């Protein structure tokens, strides 16, 4: 099993940047594909980004493509989400997720989830 803890959320003005981190417990972090999802009040959970076990492949949701970048440091058991050119519509709770077998955009396929971190973008 793996435990995930997100950090780095906060309040930022539109056009600004934030970097989220997701730290994983355990010594087998490289065996998990990782992903980021977000959920705004009253809306369904939305796929943001995913990164493969080695970090060699990534996927992005259409709404964040070109603005967000995900990366991972397997030596530090951490995955990152760099968010640039933030917009008010990016306001949401951001979650990281992990799965040893699945790498993709479907949230229900990920077995492990963090508690989330709030990102608020003011206009």
């Amino acid at each position: 099993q793996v435990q995930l803890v997100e950090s780095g959320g906060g309040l930022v003005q539109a056009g600004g940047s934030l970097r989220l981190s997701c730290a994983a417990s355990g010594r087998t972090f490289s065996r998990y594909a990782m992903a980021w999802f977000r959920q705004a009040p009253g809306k369904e959970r939305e796929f943001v980004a995913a990164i493969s076990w080695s970090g060699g492949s990534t996927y992005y949701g259409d709404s964040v493509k070109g603005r967000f970048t995900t990366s991972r440091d397997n030596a530090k058991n951490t995955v990152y989400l760099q968010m640039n050119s933030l917009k008010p519509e990016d306001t949401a709770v951001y979650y990281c997720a992990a799965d040893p077998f699945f790498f993709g955009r479907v949230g229900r396929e990920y077995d492990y989830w963090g508690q989330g971190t709030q990102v608020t973008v003011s206009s």
Side-chain angles (χ1 to χ4, degrees):
Q1 291 193 355
V2 62
Q3 293 183 329
L4 306 173
V5 179
E6 302 96 335
S7 61
L11 174 64
V12 63
Q13 289 188 335
S17 297
L18 279 176
R19 188 176 82 155
L20 305 184
S21 299
C22 173
S25 64
R27 297 175 291 179
T28 59
F29 179 66
S30 62
R31 296 183 183 179
Y32 294 87
M34 303 295 295
W36 293 92
F37 292 82
R38 67 186 183 186
Q39 189 164 21
K43 294 188 177 182
E44 293 187 354
R45 185 173 60 195
E46 178 186 11
F47 169 76
V48 175
I51 187 165
S52 62
W53 299 262
S54 66
S57 296
T58 54
Y59 292 132
Y60 293 95
D62 289 341
S63 61
V64 306
K65 201 171 296 183
R67 300 188 297 124
F68 290 11
T69 302
T70 189
S71 60
R72 66 189 296 162
D73 186 338
N74 285 345
K76 295 183 178 180
N77 284 12
T78 303
V79 62
Y80 305 98
L81 183 67
Q82 178 66 44
M83 306 186 294
N84 298 329
S85 302
L86 283 161
K87 304 175 182 180
E89 51 263 45
D90 294 319
T91 295
V93 177
Y94 283 71
Y95 299 90
C96 70
D99 196 271
F101 303 112
F102 182 76
F103 166 51
R105 306 168 183 265
V106 181
R108 65 179 180 272
E109 297 292 337
Y110 288 88
D111 279 347
Y112 303 100
W113 292 81
Q115 83 290 347
T117 186
Q118 176 72 46
V119 171
T120 302
V121 184
S122 63
S123 57

